[in-house]
Amino acid sequence: MQKIVTNIWYKDNTAEEAVEWYTTLFDDAKVTGTIPYIEDAHGTVGNAMVVNFDLAGQSFTAINGDDSAKHDHAMSLLINCDSQDEVDRLWDAFLANGGSEIQCGWIADKWGVNWQVWPTEADRYVGGPDKESAVRAVKAMYAMKKIDLQALKTAYEGE
C-alpha cells in the first residue's frame, strides 16, 4: 500500500464521474474500491462516499463532499509526459471534457482539479546549464498555456 495518497474532494456527488473519466486517460488506470455512505453519514445511503483509484502507478482517493473546499493550481497533479504528442493528447482531452487552460502547462479539469501537463524534456531548456538560454526558455514558457516543447527549444537555442 502506498504510504501517502493524494485525496481529492469533489462537490455535488461527482467523484465517481471524475474517476471514471480519469481512468480513460491512462492505460494502466483502474478503480480499486468504493466505500458507500452509510446511515448517519453526510450523504445519501448507498451512494459512493469514497472512490479509490490508481493512475499511472499512483493511488488516489476521491471523496464526495460539499462545496466548502476549493481547488486551485497552488496544489496540482503533475503529469510527466514523454513527448509533445502525449502533452497534446492529454491537454486536448482535458479541454474537450470541460477543462480550462491556466498558464505554464497548468489546466483545470471540469471538476476544478488542477493538473500540470509537462513534457519532461522541457527540463533541459528551462533548467539548462546555460543561464541566458534558460532565461529565454522560461520567458517563452511564461507566455504559454499548453507547453510547446519546440518553442522552448527554439528559445533556449536563441533562434
Side-chain angles (χ1 to χ4, degrees):
M1 174 177 266
Q2 187 174 305
K3 185 129 181 123
I4 298 173
V5 175
T6 301
N7 186 18
I8 308 169
W9 185 280
Y10 295 85
K11 63 181 183 174
D12 302 327
N13 251 353
T14 58
E16 287 177 296
E17 175 190 359
V19 169
E20 187 175 307
W21 186 76
Y22 297 153
T23 59
T24 68
L25 297 176
F26 302 94
D27 292 335
D28 60 349
K30 63 184 175 189
V31 174
T32 58
T34 302
I35 300 171
Y37 281 110
I38 57 172
E39 289 182 38
D40 298 326
H42 297 285
T44 304
V45 173
N47 284 358
M49 177 176 65
V50 172
V51 181
N52 296 310
F53 62 106
D54 290 349
L55 300 177
Q58 290 288 131
S59 296
F60 296 86
T61 297
I63 295 180
N64 277 317
D66 58 25
D67 63 357
S68 64
K70 305 289 185 229
H71 300 285
D72 73 29
H73 65 281
M75 177 66 174
S76 62
L77 302 172
L78 172 66
I79 305 171
N80 287 310
C81 297
D82 294 329
S83 66
Q84 185 68 50
D85 287 343
E86 186 179 13
V87 169
D88 295 344
R89 178 184 69 80
L90 290 167
W91 194 269
D92 293 346
F94 279 106
L95 279 180
N97 196 46
S100 58
E101 298 174 303
I102 303 172
Q103 185 180 348
C104 299
W106 274 286
I107 191 165
D109 66 27
K110 78 181 230 177
W111 301 278
V113 176
N114 292 273
W115 302 75
Q116 188 174 28
V117 183
W118 186 256
T120 56
E121 189 179 339
D123 292 347
R124 294 174 50 196
Y125 308 118
V126 299
D130 180 324
K131 296 302 176 200
E132 281 185 32
S133 296
V135 166
R136 286 193 306 270
V138 168
K139 285 181 180 179
M141 179 192 68
Y142 286 159
M144 298 175 186
K145 290 188 178 180
K146 177 176 72 172
I147 299 300
D148 179 336
L149 191 55
Q150 183 59 49
L152 290 181
K153 181 181 181 195
T154 299
Y156 185 84
E157 293 173 349
E159 297 174 8

